[in-house]
Amino acid sequence: MIRSVVADELERRMTLLGFTQKALARNAGVGDTYVRDILKGKSRNPGGEKLERIAAILGCTARDLLFPAQTRDTSRTERAEPYSPPADQPEVTVELNPPGYVAVPFLSLKAGMGGCGYVEDRLLGRPKFFEEDFVRGTLRASPSDLRVIEVEGQSMEPMLQNGDMVLVDTRRTSIIEPGIFVLFDGDGVVCKWVERAHDATEPTVRIKSENPRFSAYCVPAEQVQIVGRVVWFARKL
């Protein structure tokens, strides 16, 4: 049935571009329930202006979503006229992944965060592309499991330097085994060594830098939001 075909194609394109339901709905200017209902097969009329908006964000047309078997051409890149979001929403440029690559969501920490908590949708930037064999084979992950973040500052030198790109596995949030994590520490998103503070009377997380010039500090576990463990990094030469 058309509804199941739309759901499958929509989910496929969302996965390739690293969109969550909320992020896609926000950037297309439609309600969260509209995207969710299509994915669950509950939408009786998935066509119309709203579907065109969603398709434009995904770099295709509504027809591509409704009739993927008729419109898909793997020998070329699919394109659509970009959708212009309402004035109160940021403009988003979407690039379809080249053959053999998948899009991983990029968290633009330079967008800034206060002490209000970690809200991912506010930080989503243009996705970064990685070889599909590396993501699915080496890391045994799907693009939606991963996040790309740019390291800022000198606190993790010499291991990680300012401007390095790290790949974070959001499935790995347990700090039973210490490691390098990206986390919200109550004030902002940081990339640090993280471990449990076993000598504390209350559940506490100890956060440490690689650079000895930066002191370690402890944060109550309830204030910490673990984004994921760092599994890869890249550096400009």
Side-chain angles (χ1 to χ4, degrees):
M1 295 181 63
I2 289 180
R3 285 183 295 178
S4 62
V5 171
V6 173
D8 290 344
E9 184 65 9
L10 178 61
E11 184 176 31
R12 183 184 76 85
R13 290 176 180 269
M14 287 173 60
T15 299
L16 288 175
L17 291 172
F19 274 109
T20 63
Q21 292 182 29
K22 288 185 177 180
L24 178 60
R26 175 173 57 83
N27 289 313
V30 302
D32 293 353
T33 56
Y34 181 78
V35 177
R36 184 173 66 248
D37 286 350
I38 292 178
L39 292 173
K40 291 186 176 181
K42 294 181 178 180
S43 178
R44 296 182 178 179
N45 182 24
E49 181 185 358
K50 290 184 178 180
L51 191 65
E52 288 286 0
R53 291 182 181 182
I54 288 176
I57 293 299
L58 295 174
C60 64
T61 67
R63 182 176 176 80
D64 293 326
L65 297 176
L66 290 166
F67 309 103
Q70 298 177 19
T71 60
R72 190 180 303 169
D73 182 351
T74 56
S75 65
R76 63 180 176 84
T77 300
E78 300 162 278
R79 296 185 179 277
E81 290 299 320
Y83 163 67
S84 298
D88 60 344
Q89 294 185 13
E91 182 178 354
V92 175
T93 302
V94 176
E95 300 176 359
L96 283 184
N97 53 300
Y101 286 77
V102 291
V104 175
F106 174 65
L107 299 183
S108 179
L109 301 186
K110 293 181 180 178
M113 285 191 63
C116 59
Y118 173 72
V119 182
E120 181 173 280
D121 285 354
R122 297 179 183 176
L123 300 175
L124 286 174
R126 183 178 300 179
K128 304 295 181 181
F129 296 97
F130 291 82
E131 290 184 348
E132 185 171 12
D133 288 344
F134 170 68
V135 171
R136 301 191 188 278
T138 303
L139 299 181
R140 297 184 179 180
S142 67
S144 60
D145 294 328
L146 306 173
R147 300 291 183 272
V148 183
I149 298 175
E150 181 179 345
V151 175
E152 294 186 277
Q154 303 174 346
S155 66
M156 290 299 288
E157 291 183 349
M159 179 175 291
L160 296 174
Q161 299 179 8
N162 184 59
D164 286 353
M165 290 287 182
V166 297
L167 200 55
V168 180
D169 190 334
T170 62
R171 299 170 300 177
R172 304 176 64 181
T173 57
S174 172
I175 60 172
I176 294 178
E177 180 181 350
I180 300 177
F181 289 82
V182 170
L183 70 153
F184 178 73
D185 66 358
D187 290 320
V189 177
V190 298
C191 179
K192 301 280 190 180
W193 285 101
V194 180
E195 64 182 13
R196 286 183 174 180
H198 296 287
D199 54 346
T201 57
E202 299 292 336
T204 303
V205 175
R206 181 176 289 111
I207 302 171
K208 301 187 297 182
S209 301
E210 182 74 12
N211 191 332
R213 294 192 296 107
F214 294 79
S215 301
Y217 58 99
C218 292
V219 178
E222 62 182 12
Q223 296 182 18
V224 172
Q225 293 173 266
I226 302 292
V227 178
R229 182 183 286 264
V230 174
V231 295
W232 174 94
F233 82 95
R235 177 174 299 157
K236 295 180 181 179
L237 296 178

